[in-house]
Amino acid sequence: VTFDIDANGIMNVAAKDRATGKEQTITIAGSSTLEKDDIERMVADAAAHAAEDSQRKEAIEARNVAESLIYQTETQLKDLGDKLNEELRSSINKKLETLKDLIAKEDAETKALSAATKDLQSELMKAGQAAYEAAAAAAAATSTLIFLVPFILFSFVDANGHPGLWSGDCRRPHKDRQLG
């Protein structure tokens, strides 16, 4: 894509598809210029409505964050499956439904959306903590088994017919040694 603005303020835009070799061009020319009074009026109008625009922006951002959190929560609940206890799952679902109800209302207050979003986020963090704690507990249980049986002892007969014992350290295989 190339952009070219000439001395008269006319912009020429060209785009070429590299795969097919097709090229499209468009020329954009100003139909009229604004007078200085019109520009000043528009600037004053923008300044007068700045507070309203800011509130509108906050409302839109709060709604977007809430919608994203709803999606994230539903995905995480599916991923975690039965790894969550029923009490926590119920609490999350209740807060999720509250947030969905607020989103469904076009005139929902920004503060209410933000508060419901924070409530759901805190519950969702508890779910993540619970999942990681369960995984850590499972890993600890597995590693405890290793330490319960750290050594293995085998008896054998070598190629010359001599009996022997071999001990192995399960935790450090490189320290295995042959005994007597």
Side-chain angles (χ1 to χ4, degrees):
V1 178
T2 58
F3 298 91
D4 181 36
I5 300 175
D6 66 13
N8 297 323
I10 298 174
M11 180 168 36
N12 295 305
V13 181
K16 185 174 184 177
D17 186 352
R18 292 181 183 174
T20 63
K22 291 183 179 182
E23 186 172 337
Q24 292 284 337
T25 59
I26 187 169
T27 302
I28 302 170
S31 59
S32 65
T33 58
L34 295 174
E35 294 181 20
K36 189 173 184 175
D37 293 340
D38 290 336
I39 294 172
E40 289 174 4
R41 182 185 50 78
M42 289 178 181
V43 169
D45 189 41
H49 293 87
E52 292 173 27
D53 293 344
S54 177
Q55 289 175 348
R56 179 90 171 122
K57 179 184 173 190
E58 288 176 14
I60 290 170
E61 287 175 350
R63 184 172 290 276
N64 288 343
V65 168
E67 288 174 349
S68 176
L69 183 62
I70 289 170
Y71 174 77
Q72 178 186 357
T73 301
E74 290 172 341
T75 302
Q76 195 164 8
L77 286 175
K78 287 177 189 173
D79 291 346
L80 291 174
D82 60 348
K83 294 176 186 171
L84 288 179
N85 65 41
E86 197 56 40
E87 181 181 335
L88 184 56
R89 181 178 293 281
S90 174
S91 175
I92 290 172
N93 281 328
K94 180 180 175 185
K95 293 183 187 228
L96 179 63
E97 290 306 315
T98 300
L99 190 57
K100 282 182 177 181
D101 291 343
L102 282 172
I103 286 289
K105 298 177 184 176
E106 287 296 321
D107 61 344
E109 290 184 24
T110 303
K111 288 181 182 179
L113 271 174
S114 295
T117 299
K118 286 180 183 178
D119 286 347
L120 182 56
Q121 283 174 333
S122 68
E123 287 299 305
L124 200 55
M125 287 177 66
K126 290 178 187 175
Q129 287 174 337
Y132 283 111
E133 286 172 1
T142 303
S143 65
T144 302
L145 291 176
I146 291 173
F147 293 111
L148 290 176
V149 188
F151 294 98
I152 299 176
L153 185 64
F154 292 102
S155 63
F156 65 92
V157 176
D158 68 9
N160 296 326
H162 299 100
L165 291 175
W166 177 85
S167 73
D169 184 343
C170 295
R171 295 170 295 180
R172 295 182 184 90
H174 63 279
K175 290 194 172 191
D176 291 352
R177 64 179 195 266
Q178 182 175 341
L179 302 175

